[in-house]
Amino acid sequence: MKFLSKIGLEPFIVCLFGAIALAWLNPSVGIASVCSITLSDIATWGVAGIFFFYGLRLDPEKLKAGLINVRLHLLVHFSTFILFPLIVLSAMFLCGAFESGKNISLLWLGTYFLATLPSTVSSSVVMISIAKGNLPAGIFNASISSLLGVFFTPILMSLFLDNLEGTHGLGDVILKLVVQVIVPVVAGILLNSKFGKFAIAHKVALRNFDQSIILLIVYTSFCDSFHKKMFDGFPMSDIVLLSVAMVGLFFFAMAIVWGLCRLMRFNREDTITAVFCGSKKSLVHGSVMSKVLFANPAIIGVVLLPTMLYHAYQLIIVSIIAKKLGRNGE
C-alpha cells in the first residue's frame, strides 16, 4: 500500500481495474437478478446517497469564502466545459471521425463524454491543499462544477446522442439528473448545520461508501458490455493508444490552463487551484451520467473506459505534482 501511495496509485484505482477483470471473467453475475433486483439497481439507488452525503459535508460558509475570485471561477469552468470539448472535437475532426457515412466509434464517443464531464470534488480539494493552493476557491469551484455538470454535460452530449440508438431525450436526462444529483445535494446542504459534523467525523466511511457504489456501477456496466461482446471489435492496440491519448489530453489541457493563468497574471495559489480544478474530470459523475444518458447498458462499459483511464492517470500525475509543489512552496 505504501508503494502504491508513493507513485500516486490509490487502492481504489487497483480495485477499479479489478472490477473490470471480474466482469470479464464472469459477466453473468453482474447482470443476474435476485427477487427482481439487480446489482445495477442497487448502484442506481446508491447514487442518491453519494450526493446526499456530499451535500451534507459541504459547509455553506466555505462556499461563500470562495465566491469573490470571479476570474478564477470563469477560467476553471471555461476549461471544464468549453476547452475540453473543443480539444476533443478538434482531435476527432483531424482523425477523420466525422467522415461522411462513418459512424462515431464508441471510444470516440466515450472520449467526448469525458470532455463534457465536470471537475472532481474531493480529490481536487485534497490536492490543492497538499500543493498549498487557494483552498476556499478550490472547494467552491469543484462544488459548483458538479452542479453545473447536471445541465452542461447532457447539453454538450446532445451533439451526438440524437443520432445514437439507446439514448434518452435531453429533457428526460436533465430531469433524472436533477432528481438523482441536485435534490440529494440540496437536501444535504440544508441538513449541514445539524449533521455536518457527523458527516465530517465519518468521512472515511462515507468515502468508502462512495467508492463502493462507483465500483458497483463500473462492474455492472462492464458485465453488460462483456456479456454482449461490445469489446470484441477493439484490438488491444486501440486500448493502448487510448491510454496514451488520455495522458496526452491531460497534459495538453493542463498546459493551456497554466498558460492562461500566466496571461491573466494569477498568483501562485490561484494558479494551482485553476490548474488542478480545470484539468480534472469526475469519475463519480461519469458513472452516474452514463447510466442516465444511455438506455442501452451494454455500451456504458465502452463509453466509460476513457473516463476510467483518465481518472487513474490524473490521480497519479496530480498527486506527484501536488507533493512537489507542496515541498518546494513555489
Side-chain angles (χ1 to χ4, degrees):
M1 292 297 181
K2 288 183 179 180
F3 170 74
L4 294 177
S5 178
K6 284 182 179 179
I7 63 173
L9 191 60
E10 295 184 355
F12 174 62
I13 301 299
V14 177
C15 290
L16 271 178
F17 291 101
I20 296 176
L22 288 175
W24 176 70
L25 289 171
N26 193 356
S28 60
V29 175
I31 59 178
S33 62
V34 179
C35 299
S36 300
I37 298 175
T38 65
L39 290 176
S40 183
D41 294 330
I42 296 172
T44 299
W45 298 335
V47 165
I50 288 178
F51 287 100
F52 171 74
F53 291 123
Y54 162 58
L56 204 58
R57 296 193 295 269
L58 274 181
D59 187 342
E61 294 303 318
K62 289 183 179 180
L63 286 178
K64 291 177 184 177
L67 271 171
I68 58 174
N69 201 333
V70 177
R71 291 197 310 151
L72 173 57
H73 308 330
L74 290 175
L75 177 56
V76 168
H77 301 307
F78 165 80
S79 170
T80 302
F81 296 114
I82 298 178
L83 176 62
F84 265 92
L86 286 177
I87 291 173
V88 174
L89 286 173
S90 299
M92 293 173 73
F93 177 78
L94 292 173
C95 294
F98 296 120
E99 288 179 6
S100 179
K102 184 177 180 180
N103 292 327
I104 298 294
S105 162
L106 286 179
L107 289 182
W108 271 122
L109 181 67
T111 303
Y112 180 71
F113 174 62
L114 158 72
T116 69
L117 291 174
S119 180
T120 59
V121 178
S122 58
S123 63
S124 288
V125 172
V126 170
M127 296 305 173
I128 289 169
S129 177
I130 292 172
K132 297 180 174 61
N134 187 335
L135 190 56
I139 294 171
F140 176 84
N141 278 294
S143 302
I144 296 302
S145 179
S146 299
L147 301 181
L148 290 176
V150 171
F151 304 99
F152 280 105
T153 297
I155 291 171
L156 290 167
M157 283 300 296
S158 66
L159 178 65
F160 296 109
L161 293 184
D162 291 340
N163 300 318
L164 181 69
E165 291 184 8
T167 58
H168 296 291
L170 180 59
D172 291 339
V173 166
I174 291 179
L175 179 60
K176 287 182 180 180
L177 288 173
V178 166
V179 172
Q180 286 192 322
V181 179
I182 299 291
V183 172
V185 167
V186 171
I189 291 174
L190 292 175
L191 292 172
N192 173 269
S193 59
K194 290 186 177 181
F195 301 107
K197 291 182 179 179
F198 171 85
I200 292 173
H202 295 83
K203 62 181 180 181
V204 175
L206 293 178
R207 183 169 181 262
N208 290 336
F209 169 77
D210 293 352
Q211 293 183 345
S212 297
I213 296 299
I214 297 171
L215 288 172
L216 194 55
I217 292 173
V218 169
Y219 172 68
T220 55
S221 298
F222 275 84
C223 280
D224 269 306
S225 297
F226 285 127
H227 180 72
K228 296 180 179 176
K229 304 187 184 303
M230 296 299 294
F231 284 97
D232 284 4
F234 299 105
M236 183 55 66
S237 58
D238 283 359
I239 308 301
V240 173
L241 182 61
L242 178 65
S243 296
V244 174
M246 292 302 98
V247 175
L249 174 61
F250 178 84
F251 279 114
F252 187 55
M254 176 178 275
I256 292 176
V257 176
W258 209 299
L260 290 173
C261 288
R262 284 182 170 272
L263 287 174
M264 299 171 74
R265 299 183 183 278
F266 281 3
N267 59 30
R268 176 185 180 276
E269 291 76 16
D270 286 352
T271 297
I272 289 172
T273 298
V275 170
F276 283 11
C277 286
S279 62
K280 300 183 77 179
K281 291 292 182 175
S282 173
L283 178 60
V284 176
H285 287 76
S287 303
V288 173
M289 291 182 181
S290 64
K291 289 176 68 66
V292 175
L293 285 168
F294 304 103
N296 181 2
I299 70 174
I300 294 177
V302 183
V303 171
L304 266 182
L305 187 59
T307 301
M308 286 186 54
L309 292 172
Y310 190 92
H311 178 82
Y313 297 140
Q314 75 181 7
L315 285 182
I316 296 170
I317 296 167
V318 173
S319 176
I320 294 170
I321 294 173
K323 289 173 182 176
K324 184 177 180 179
L325 288 172
R327 285 195 302 267
N328 296 341
E330 59 184 23

